[in-house]
């Protein structure tokens, strides 16, 4: 399988990183903002509609549904893929967004399809560019479509061949951001399983060569329906009439060129083609388990900590938790460093784990069962022995995963103190794993200094063989969704998180005893009490928002 070749070729090793230029070529730094020059621009409304919705409503579906209108769609995009801040250090000024991105390079573009129009979201201005007007007879008004694409070059400029992985993580984060912004407005959102990537290209005009002369192309990722009610009746609709109507529509605008020059990474083009989604009629979406796995034999490095728990006396607690969903969403940031004394409350930790299991949002946006489970490096969680833990996001995966892992792991189920404690958490080895976590995550201190860090370990080869190579992208999306929930939960708890795309792949597998391609770590993550970089100055994402307004920090 080409994807497995791509995956192996883009691993980081202790003595060698995946292929990239190895330096930042500032002369070709990509423009972070795509525009379609000549397309009419429509300003979106700026009202904060949902600033009293409680944080829990994102996950329990209790927000009162807002009418689908220009106002609410403005709020939806602002709270999912809009700008969250402008940062400045010396002469450098850069924007941050509500959705995170590896290296802040933001390869993901967003489109909206509604009332016979295809719009591109202009992030910087919080506006829509009207790309296409088409005959939309029979379309209903109480729902709309939202689509994501990736511009691989934005990530490849810095990360070379590994960039395709990061584009997929980022798409997953963006799906999570869209799903939870929909929940903020009392809406549902679900990916449309019947749309092939080729049909999505036609709908979005990505296959219109004449609109991309000299400009970087966009790769289709996904299309989702957003509705105030149960979206199931839209999911099975035949995509062809809408795709054909768009292809016959009236198109405007040509894509801006993002870089003066480009480095070529042919393996990214190859893996993009190999992982294009053929649409559900041509592939089987069923979830099957039971792949054969082998067991490794290397030793775990680190010092054993028998029975010790975190000492509260020398700890630093998170700051005040946030209670409103909108302010949590807009405040989400990556920590640059953690205070190594931060301690997370046991209950907060458990409720975070609980949210990573279906069926609550954002898990209702996707139509496959969990294929990604967690290996946690727990450093400082109240009343929890530091150590390496496994967290199953689906109990049924235990036998297959346990058989694949190092046989000496304890698999000691965590004793529930409370009926709300989650199932699925197992102590594998009580150990001070701070150095281990740091080393495995490309020697990054954020993996060591937080409450915990983790590896997202995917059931890789079997899930690809069962479905097709296209599922490779979706495994990364699942990781991005996990990361997005944890990012928000960290903010809500008064703490902060950071995604970790840089880790030494096979040393992680060796530590866990995993061999072959059956299980592979796809993404790492960390959470703790942030240490702010006071040298940076901050302005709101949009000039009309007050510095002291909701979400600004
Ligand atoms: C997929 C992904 C991988 C990332 N990898 C790392 C990493 O290895 N190290 C790190 O310090 N930050 C990492 N980050 C954090 C990004 O640098 C951060 O999201 C970006 O700078 C934007 O900042 P913001 O999250 O505050 O909006 C990663 C983020 C994502 C989404």
């Amino acid at each position: 399988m080409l994807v497995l070749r791509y995956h192996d070729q883009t691993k980081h090793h202790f003595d060698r990183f995946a292929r990239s230029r190895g330096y930042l070529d500032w002369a070709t730094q990509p423009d972070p903002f795509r525009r379609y020059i000549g397309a009419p621009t429509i300003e979106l409304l700026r009202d904060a509609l949902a600033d009293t919705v409680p944080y829990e409503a994102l996950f329990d579906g209790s927000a009162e549904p807002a009418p689908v209108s220009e106002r609410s769609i403005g709020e939806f995009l602002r709270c999912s893929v809009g700008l969250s801040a402008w940062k400045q250090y010396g002469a450098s000024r850069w924007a941050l967004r509500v959705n995170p991105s590896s290296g802040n390079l933001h390869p993901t573009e967003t489109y909206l399809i509604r009332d016979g129009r295809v719009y591109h979201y202009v992030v910087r201005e919080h506006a829509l560019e009207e790309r296409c007007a088409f005959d939309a007879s029979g379309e209903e008004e109480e729902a709309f479509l939202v689509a994501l694409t990736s511009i691989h070059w934005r990530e490849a400029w810095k990360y070379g061949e590994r960039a395709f992985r990061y584009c997929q993580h980022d798409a997953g984060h963006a799906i999570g951001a869209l799903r939870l912004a929909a929940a903020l407005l009392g809406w549902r959102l679900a990916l449309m399983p019947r749309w092939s990537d080729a049909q999505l290209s036609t709908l979005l005009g990505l296959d219109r060569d004449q609109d991309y002369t000299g400009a970087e192309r966009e790769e289709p990722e996904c299309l989702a329906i957003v509705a105030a009610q149960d979206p199931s009746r839209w999911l099975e609709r035949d995509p062809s009439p809408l795709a054909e109507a768009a292809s016959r529509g009236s198109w405007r605008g040509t894509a801006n060129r993002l870089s003066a020059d480009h480095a070529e990474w042919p393996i990214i083009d190859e893996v993009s083609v190999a992982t294009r989604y053929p649409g559900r009629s041509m592939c089987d979406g069923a979830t099957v388990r039971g792949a054969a796995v082998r067991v490794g034999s290397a030793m775990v490095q680190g010092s054993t900590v028998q029975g010790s728990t975190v000492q509260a006396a020398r700890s630093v607690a998170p700051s005040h938790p946030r209670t409103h969903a909108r302010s949590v969403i807009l405040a989400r940031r990556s920590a640059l460093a953690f205070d190594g004394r931060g301690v997370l409350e046991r209950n907060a930790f458990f409720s975070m784990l609980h949210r990573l299991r279906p069926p609550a949002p954002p898990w209702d946006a996707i139509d496959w069962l969990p294929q990604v489970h967690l290996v946690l490096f727990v450093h400082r969680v109240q009343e929890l022995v530091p150590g390496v833990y496994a967290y199953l996001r689906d109990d049924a995966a235990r036998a297959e995963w346990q058989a694949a892992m190092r046989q000496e792991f304890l698999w000691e189920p965590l004793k529930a103190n409370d009926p709300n404690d989650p199932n699925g958490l197992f102590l594998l080895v009580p150990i001070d794993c701070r150095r281990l976590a740091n080393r495995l995550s490309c020697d990054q201190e954020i993996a060591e200094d937080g409450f915990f860090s983790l590896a997202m370990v995917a059931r890789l080869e079997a899930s690809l063989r069962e479905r097709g190579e296209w599922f490779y992208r979706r495994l990364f999306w699942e990781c991005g969704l996990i990361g997005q929930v944890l990012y928000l939960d960290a903010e809500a708890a008064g703490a902060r998180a950071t995604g970790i795309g840089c880790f030494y792949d096979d040393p992680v597998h060796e530590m866990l005893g995993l061999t072959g391609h059956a299980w592979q770590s796809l993404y790492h993550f960390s959470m703790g009490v942030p240490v702010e970089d006071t040298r940076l100055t901050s302005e709101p994402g949009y000039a009309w928002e007050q510095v002291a307004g909701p979400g600004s920090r």
Side-chain angles (χ1 to χ4, degrees):
M1 272 195 275
L2 186 124
V3 275
L4 295 182
R5 180 160 71 77
Y6 170 78
H7 192 71
D8 286 345
Q9 189 168 317
T10 54
K11 285 179 173 173
H12 287 330
H13 303 271
F14 281 147
D15 59 347
R16 169 171 56 91
F17 284 102
R19 265 178 12 119
S20 71
R21 273 195 163 160
Y23 64 95
L24 293 177
D25 178 18
W26 295 111
T28 61
Q29 184 183 18
D31 184 339
F33 300 111
R34 166 128 284 174
R35 294 302 308 255
Y36 283 91
I37 299 146
T41 305
I42 303 140
E43 271 189 15
L44 279 163
L45 297 172
R46 302 168 177 179
D47 316 5
L49 292 183
D51 51 3
T52 56
V53 174
Y55 180 63
E56 291 301 321
L58 296 185
F59 306 97
D60 66 16
S62 63
E64 188 63 30
V68 174
S69 66
E70 275 181 44
R71 272 180 91 207
S72 54
I73 287 175
E75 176 80 328
F76 168 67
L77 291 170
R78 199 264 161 282
C79 293
S80 51
V81 289
L83 296 185
S84 54
W86 282 91
K87 295 277 171 187
Q88 185 146 5
Y89 177 64
S92 303
R93 188 168 181 269
W94 64 96
L96 296 177
R97 302 194 192 187
V98 174
N99 54 316
S101 166
S102 185
N104 200 32
L105 294 162
H106 288 286
T108 316
E109 296 290 325
T110 307
Y111 290 80
L112 191 89
I113 301 96
R114 181 172 185 248
D115 290 343
R117 301 282 185 280
V118 177
Y119 302 101
H120 170 247
Y121 180 50
V122 188
V123 185
R124 189 179 184 140
E125 280 79 21
H126 186 51
L128 294 174
E129 285 170 329
E130 188 185 304
R131 280 282 284 140
C132 177
F134 61 92
D135 177 12
S137 48
E139 236 194 287
E140 284 150 275
E141 288 229 311
E142 75 267 38
F144 62 93
L145 295 167
V146 63
L148 298 175
T149 68
S150 293
I151 303 178
H152 295 145
W153 165 246
R154 285 217 183 99
E155 288 282 336
W157 168 72
K158 180 170 180 186
Y159 296 112
E161 292 186 344
R162 197 168 163 103
F164 180 79
R165 297 182 181 206
Y166 297 152
C167 291
Q168 302 312 317
H169 289 126
D170 287 3
H173 277 287
I175 295 167
L178 291 167
R179 173 62 191 102
L180 295 172
L184 181 71
L185 291 154
W187 299 341
R188 304 273 300 270
L189 178 148
L191 298 190
M192 301 282 276
R194 291 195 62 185
W195 281 76
S196 69
D197 283 357
Q199 287 167 318
L200 185 53
S201 274
T202 304
L203 177 67
L204 303 179
L206 308 180
D207 54 2
R208 292 174 52 82
D209 294 346
Q210 63 273 38
D211 295 349
Y212 293 90
T213 314
E216 298 75 4
R217 300 304 285 250
E218 295 178 32
E219 178 71 18
E221 296 294 358
C222 60
L223 180 71
I225 178 85
V226 186
Q229 67 271 69
D230 181 355
S232 15
R233 69 191 167 102
W234 283 281
L235 299 183
E236 290 309 319
R237 271 201 200 154
D238 179 7
S240 311
L242 185 54
E244 281 160 22
S247 74
R248 289 191 304 270
S250 153
W251 287 85
R252 284 190 282 183
T254 50
N256 62 337
R257 188 181 170 111
L258 306 177
S259 290
D261 201 3
H262 306 99
E264 299 296 327
W265 301 105
I267 187 89
I268 291 185
D269 302 328
E270 289 168 37
V271 75
S272 302
V273 172
T275 56
R276 281 191 188 140
Y277 181 52
R280 190 154 76 189
S281 58
M282 292 168 61
C283 56
D284 177 13
T287 301
V288 188
R289 296 192 183 85
V293 282
R294 286 179 292 141
V295 178
S297 61
M299 294 296 294
V300 175
Q301 301 296 316
S303 51
T304 302
V305 191
Q306 290 291 2
S308 96
T309 56
V310 168
Q311 301 296 308
R314 53 185 174 77
S315 69
V316 170
S319 65
H320 291 301
R322 289 172 185 269
T323 51
H324 288 109
R326 191 177 195 271
S327 77
V328 170
I329 285 173
L330 297 187
R332 186 214 61 77
R333 303 270 188 289
S334 294
L336 302 174
F338 293 121
D339 184 324
R341 298 164 301 169
V343 175
L344 182 63
E345 273 187 21
R346 178 186 163 103
N347 286 348
F349 178 64
F350 284 174
S351 88
M352 287 174 188
L353 293 184
H354 194 67
R355 276 205 238 282
L356 301 180
R357 283 187 165 210
W363 306 109
D364 57 351
I366 59 174
D367 61 1
W368 63 93
L369 291 175
Q371 302 295 308
V372 178
H373 306 278
L374 309 184
V375 169
L376 291 137
F377 303 97
V378 174
H379 309 315
R380 281 173 307 281
V381 175
Q382 210 179 36
E383 295 170 34
L384 227 63
V385 176
V388 181
Y389 289 75
Y391 178 61
L392 293 168
R393 296 182 50 246
D394 177 354
D395 294 326
R398 175 163 174 195
E400 185 180 335
W401 204 27
Q402 185 171 347
M405 291 245 249
R406 186 183 292 283
Q407 290 303 284
E408 57 268 40
F409 283 155
L410 299 175
W411 287 91
E412 191 179 292
L414 209 76
K415 285 188 207 80
N417 287 354
D418 181 299
N420 294 326
D421 285 357
N423 290 326
L425 185 63
F426 297 87
L427 176 63
L428 300 184
V429 52
I431 193 173
D432 177 351
C433 52
R434 287 175 294 178
R435 290 297 306 152
L436 178 70
N438 172 320
R439 180 75 177 122
L440 292 175
S441 287
C442 289
D443 305 288
Q444 299 188 75
E445 288 175 1
I446 46 171
E448 167 178 354
D449 290 337
F451 312 134
F452 62 86
S453 60
L454 60 88
M456 301 185 200
V457 181
R459 185 172 164 272
L460 182 70
E461 187 168 4
S463 71
L464 298 176
R465 293 209 187 280
E466 286 155 12
R467 295 169 182 79
E469 293 189 89
W470 56 268
F471 198 67
Y472 186 66
R473 296 193 196 192
R474 278 154 178 79
L475 290 172
F476 284 92
W477 300 355
E478 192 176 326
C479 293
L481 282 162
I482 294 171
Q484 193 63 20
V485 174
L486 289 172
Y487 260 122
L488 296 189
D489 270 351
E491 294 294 339
R496 194 149 272 182
T498 304
I500 301 182
C502 189
F503 55 89
Y504 298 116
D505 299 70
D506 284 338
V508 177
H509 305 141
E510 196 183 335
M511 186 277 287
L512 297 171
L514 299 170
T515 57
H517 292 114
W519 294 89
Q520 297 274 290
S521 184
L522 300 186
Y523 191 21
H524 286 200
F525 207 81
S526 58
M527 190 187 293
V529 172
V531 179
E532 301 293 346
D533 186 340
T534 52
R535 296 167 306 169
L536 305 186
T537 56
S538 190
E539 290 168 54
Y542 298 102
W544 61 85
E545 294 182 341
Q546 296 298 309
V547 178
S552 58
R553 272 204 210 175

